[in-house]
């Protein structure tokens, strides 16, 4: 039987979210009670929310029907029912596909949170009394300790909690913070740029920024000695974009020295940054943990900066909702991995001094 012809209860279970008929009593946990239920409105089931999210992601009802293995008319009926329930147009349909309306975008954000919580609840309840299981998402900011911490974190979680599905997302701080605020991410290791509403920060480590330049660039002083900001005024710099914390603190350091950074390129990829510097396209300023890896290549010079430029790396978690059991376990593993990183890095750090 095609899932598009299945009963609503069967469809919801097939998708992994226990959708139920609107006629069933409210005690059934597969439905979400509408605040307007007393006015005669039906209940919203997670099946329709799941389908709605997939349609928005696919940008097409036809493509979403193929992904969900549902007949397109049945899927369209689900969306019509959802729009009737909310009394709002949720999707703009055209020959090119579909796009969410403003109301649709609002529902999309809430639906992602709801479905993720349902999935987490199902995973936790199914393993009560047994090992921890379920999905946990961790964000890691680029140009930080990402490369040093990501693999040890994945290794440790796989070893200690084999039933936890760890999702690691490398992205920028603003994206990660928004994902935590909306409940789409459990935690993130990112630069602490100050208080952010909806996110709790736990400071874990401080990283010093270093200048990395091709040999022969003309940096003053002997190799291995610190260089002053005023001596870097004419140095062509490759830096991440203006919204990145590293870019902000570097420019602030120049401003405090009454100077202006000569930025000749904006590069968001650490890999591309390393290649550009190696090819003599400019110098850059990076955290010591990242710069040390680039220094494994010949003809590069790594120097400290005076006055010292530092960035704070913090562990962010959502402020408005508790972590699941699996997420709590991963947070402890992450703290342990960072602590071990600090210990193992201290000796190399002293070698640069």
């Amino acid at each position: 039987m095609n899932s598009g012809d299945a009963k609503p209860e069967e469809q919801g279970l097939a998708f992994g979210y226990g959708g139920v008929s609107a006629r069933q009593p409210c005690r059934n946990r597969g439905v979400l009670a509408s605040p307007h239920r007393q006015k005669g409105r039906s209940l919203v089931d997670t099946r329709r929310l799941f389908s709605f999210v997939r349609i928005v992601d696919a940008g097409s009802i036809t493509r979403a029907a193929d992904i969900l293995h549902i007949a397109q008319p049945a899927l369209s009926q689900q969306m019509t029912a959802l729009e009737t329930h909310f009394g709002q147009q949720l999707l703009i349909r055209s020959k090119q596909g579909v796009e969410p309306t403003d109301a649709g975008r609002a529902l999309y954000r809430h639906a992602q949170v709801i479905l993720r919580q349902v999935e987490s609840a199902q995973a936790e309840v199914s393993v009560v009394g047994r090992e921890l299981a379920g999905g946990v998402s961790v964000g890691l900011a680029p140009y930080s300790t990402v490369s040093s911490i990501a693999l040890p974190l994945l290794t440790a979680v796989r070893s200690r909690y084999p039933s936890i599905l760890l999702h690691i997302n490398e992205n920028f701080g603003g994206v990660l913070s928004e994902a935590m605020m909306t409940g789409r991410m459990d935690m993130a290791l990112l630069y602490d740029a100050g208080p952010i509403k909806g996110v709790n920060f736990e400071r874990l480590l401080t990283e010093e920024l270093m200048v990395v330049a091709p040999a022969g660039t003309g940096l003053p002083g002997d190799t291995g000695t610190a260089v002053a900001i005023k001596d870097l005024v004419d140095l062509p710099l490759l830096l991440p974009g203006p919204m990145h914390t590293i870019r902000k603190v570097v420019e602030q350091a120049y401003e405090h020295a009454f100077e202006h950074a000569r930025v000749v390129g904006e590069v968001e990829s650490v890999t591309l940054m390393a290649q550009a510097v190696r090819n003599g396209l400019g110098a850059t300023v990076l955290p010591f943990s990242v710069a040390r890896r680039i220094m494994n290549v010949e003809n590069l010079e790594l120097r400290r900066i005076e006055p010292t430029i530092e960035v704070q790396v913090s562990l962010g978690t959502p402020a408005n909702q508790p972590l699941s059991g699996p997420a709590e376990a991963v947070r402890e593993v992450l703290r342990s991995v960072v602590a071990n990183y600090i210990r193992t890095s201290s000796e190399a750090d002293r070698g640069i001094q």
Side-chain angles (χ1 to χ4, degrees):
M1 178 175 64
N2 188 297
S3 59
D5 301 323
K7 296 179 180 179
E9 296 87 346
E10 294 171 338
Q11 282 188 319
L13 292 174
F15 296 155
Y17 299 99
V20 300
S21 169
R23 293 186 296 275
Q24 289 184 298
C26 190
R27 65 176 177 270
N28 193 309
R29 294 300 185 260
V31 296
L32 306 170
S34 167
H36 303 286
R37 188 179 176 221
Q38 291 82 357
K39 298 180 181 180
R41 293 195 181 186
S42 62
L43 302 175
V44 177
D45 65 51
T46 53
R47 170 201 60 168
R48 289 174 180 166
L49 292 179
F50 183 77
S51 298
F52 174 73
V53 168
R54 290 296 172 268
I55 289 172
V56 174
D57 288 340
S60 163
I61 293 180
T62 301
R63 285 195 293 270
D66 290 339
I67 294 171
L68 296 172
H69 304 292
I70 301 175
Q72 182 176 336
L75 192 56
S76 295
Q77 289 174 5
Q78 287 189 35
M79 295 306 99
T80 299
L82 202 58
E83 290 179 325
T84 300
H85 170 84
F86 285 104
Q88 291 271 13
Q89 182 180 0
L90 301 174
L91 297 170
I92 300 174
R93 299 159 175 83
S94 68
K95 293 181 179 180
Q96 288 72 37
V98 297
E99 290 186 4
T101 62
D102 289 342
R105 280 188 285 271
L107 178 61
Y108 178 79
R109 291 193 299 271
H110 287 288
Q112 285 182 309
V113 176
I114 292 167
L115 295 174
R116 190 167 179 275
Q117 289 176 335
V118 170
E119 183 179 19
S120 178
Q122 289 176 333
E124 284 196 64
V125 171
S126 67
V127 295
V128 169
R130 295 182 286 159
E131 65 179 353
L132 290 172
V136 177
S137 58
V138 178
L140 298 172
Y143 285 97
S144 67
T145 57
V146 168
S147 298
S148 298
I149 288 176
L151 182 58
L153 174 63
L154 183 59
T155 302
V157 171
R158 289 287 300 123
S159 175
R160 300 180 201 179
Y161 306 105
S163 294
I164 289 180
L165 177 62
L166 184 63
H167 175 74
I168 297 178
N169 182 358
E170 182 177 343
N171 217 316
F172 295 103
V175 175
L176 300 179
S177 296
E178 193 273 338
M180 286 187 287
M181 286 187 285
T182 56
R184 292 181 289 110
M185 181 167 289
D186 293 301
M187 67 196 75
L189 195 65
L190 68 171
Y191 290 120
D192 184 352
I196 297 178
K197 185 178 180 180
V199 180
N200 291 329
F201 285 106
E202 174 189 346
R203 188 162 292 175
L204 296 183
L205 71 149
T206 300
E207 289 200 303
E208 181 179 353
L209 300 186
M210 320 284 286
V211 60
V212 183
T217 302
L219 294 179
D222 298 329
T223 300
T225 61
V227 58
I229 286 286
K230 62 182 181 62
D231 293 324
L232 299 177
V233 174
D234 295 325
L235 185 67
L237 290 177
L238 300 169
L239 294 174
M243 299 305 296
H244 197 283
T245 301
I246 287 181
R247 173 70 171 270
K248 292 179 180 179
V249 298
V250 168
E251 291 188 334
Q252 288 171 1
Y254 273 79
E255 290 173 3
H256 290 161
F258 302 99
E259 303 290 356
H260 181 73
R262 183 188 168 198
V263 179
V264 298
E266 296 179 345
V267 183
E268 306 290 1
S269 164
V270 176
T271 302
L272 177 58
M273 179 73 79
Q275 293 173 342
V277 175
R278 291 172 196 157
N279 282 277
L281 299 181
T284 189
V285 178
L286 295 173
F288 174 64
S289 61
V290 180
R292 189 174 62 233
R293 289 193 302 277
I294 297 178
M295 278 299 293
N296 292 332
V297 181
E298 296 180 358
N299 300 322
L300 289 181
E301 190 173 355
L302 173 63
R303 303 279 288 277
R304 277 197 158 84
I305 301 172
E306 290 184 344
T308 301
I309 307 176
E310 295 180 335
V311 289
Q312 309 296 329
V313 180
S314 296
L315 175 61
T317 52
N320 301 321
Q321 58 184 10
L323 294 178
S324 65
E328 288 276 9
V330 170
R331 180 170 63 175
E332 290 306 310
V333 173
L334 179 56
R335 287 170 174 162
S336 176
V337 168
V338 172
N340 183 65
Y341 165 81
I342 295 173
R343 287 193 300 269
T344 55
S345 298
S346 60
E347 183 176 345
D349 191 8
R350 289 193 297 270
I352 295 292
Q353 295 178 352

